[in-house]
């Protein structure tokens, strides 16, 4: 956390280890009760976590929610309140929980992604991203670092095929 002052106005730069990526920073304007979340928050849009730590990402969203701002400006999606931020966190928790069950059962990541019922998130934009998210989560469950290479070309091609099927 780094506080910067311009006169009486304070802005806080907030960093939470590797979440969506290793370099995400949120900007909190305490007096305005506003947080510019960048890619910490995807709201009404499925996130894409290719080099993510989902465990850290979920914890970071708890910390952003604890700020109790009136306005959260996502990196993707409409401005929301804390309820929207918690809904975005709920997507990550759902995919984490469901992917972990399938990982433990030995299901391949592509099959697992297609098997997961997104429930309330099924109408979000870019739901095909679950393929990449589950692939990354399988690496996380195996103890691999977020910087571990992932076959993005194959994942993107498969996500394109899934998106085109509607």
């Amino acid at each position: 956390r780094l506080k910067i002052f311009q006169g009486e106005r304070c802005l806080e730069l907030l960093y939470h280890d590797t979440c969506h990526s290793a370099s995400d920073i949120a900007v909190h304007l305490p007096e305005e009760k506003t947080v510019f979340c960048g890619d910490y928050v995807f709201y009404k849009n499925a996130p894409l976590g290719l080099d993510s730590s989902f465990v850290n990402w979920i914890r970071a969203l708890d910390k952003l929610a604890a700020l109790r701002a009136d306005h959260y400006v996502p990196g993707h999606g409409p401005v929301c309140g804390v309820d929207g931020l918690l809904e975005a966190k709920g997507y990550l928790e759902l995919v984490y929980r469901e992917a972990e069950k399938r990982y433990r059962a030995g299901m391949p990541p592509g099959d697992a992604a297609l098997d997961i019922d997104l429930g309330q998130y099924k109408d979000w934009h870019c739901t095909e991203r679950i393929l990449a998210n589950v692939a990354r989560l399988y690496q996380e469950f195996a103890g691999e670092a977020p910087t571990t290479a992932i076959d993005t070309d194959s994942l993107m091609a498969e996500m394109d095929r899934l998106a085109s099927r509607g």
Side-chain angles (χ1 to χ4, degrees):
R1 177 175 285 201
L2 174 66
K3 290 185 180 185
I4 299 172
F5 291 90
Q6 181 179 11
E8 295 294 314
R9 185 181 206 181
C10 174
L11 83 116
E12 298 175 317
L13 303 179
L14 307 171
Y15 172 76
H16 302 96
D17 203 3
T18 297
C19 297
H20 167 266
S21 71
S23 60
D24 294 314
I25 294 176
V27 179
H28 180 215
L29 303 173
E31 289 187 31
E32 291 84 352
K33 296 184 178 184
T34 299
V35 180
F36 292 89
C37 302
D39 283 345
Y40 283 115
V41 178
F42 286 67
Y43 181 51
K44 303 293 183 187
N45 287 274
L48 182 60
L50 291 171
D51 55 354
S52 303
S53 166
F54 282 74
V55 169
N56 288 348
W57 200 351
I58 291 165
R59 285 186 197 136
L61 292 181
D62 281 333
K63 291 176 183 176
L64 292 178
L67 296 172
R68 289 297 197 210
D70 291 339
H71 309 284
Y72 290 87
V73 182
H76 301 269
V79 174
C80 59
V82 71
D83 290 343
L85 180 138
L86 294 174
E87 187 177 344
K89 177 184 159 230
Y91 173 93
L92 296 174
E93 291 171 326
L94 170 80
V95 174
Y96 184 98
R97 181 177 60 250
E98 295 302 317
E100 185 176 32
K101 286 179 197 173
R102 287 153 179 83
Y103 174 81
R104 293 193 186 287
M107 186 181 285
D111 293 346
L114 296 175
D115 190 56
I116 293 172
D117 179 359
L118 290 174
Q120 75 182 71
Y121 305 101
K122 71 182 181 329
D123 294 325
W124 277 25
H125 297 287
C126 304
T127 55
E128 69 277 1
R129 291 177 176 170
I130 192 167
L131 291 166
N133 292 331
V134 170
R136 175 60 212 130
L137 278 165
Y138 269 47
Q139 288 180 310
E140 190 168 333
F141 300 146
E144 296 178 21
T147 55
T148 303
I150 194 165
D151 185 356
T152 55
D153 291 341
S154 294
L155 282 171
M156 293 300 177
E158 189 59 30
M159 286 189 297
D160 285 345
R161 280 192 290 281
L162 185 57
S164 68
R165 287 192 282 178

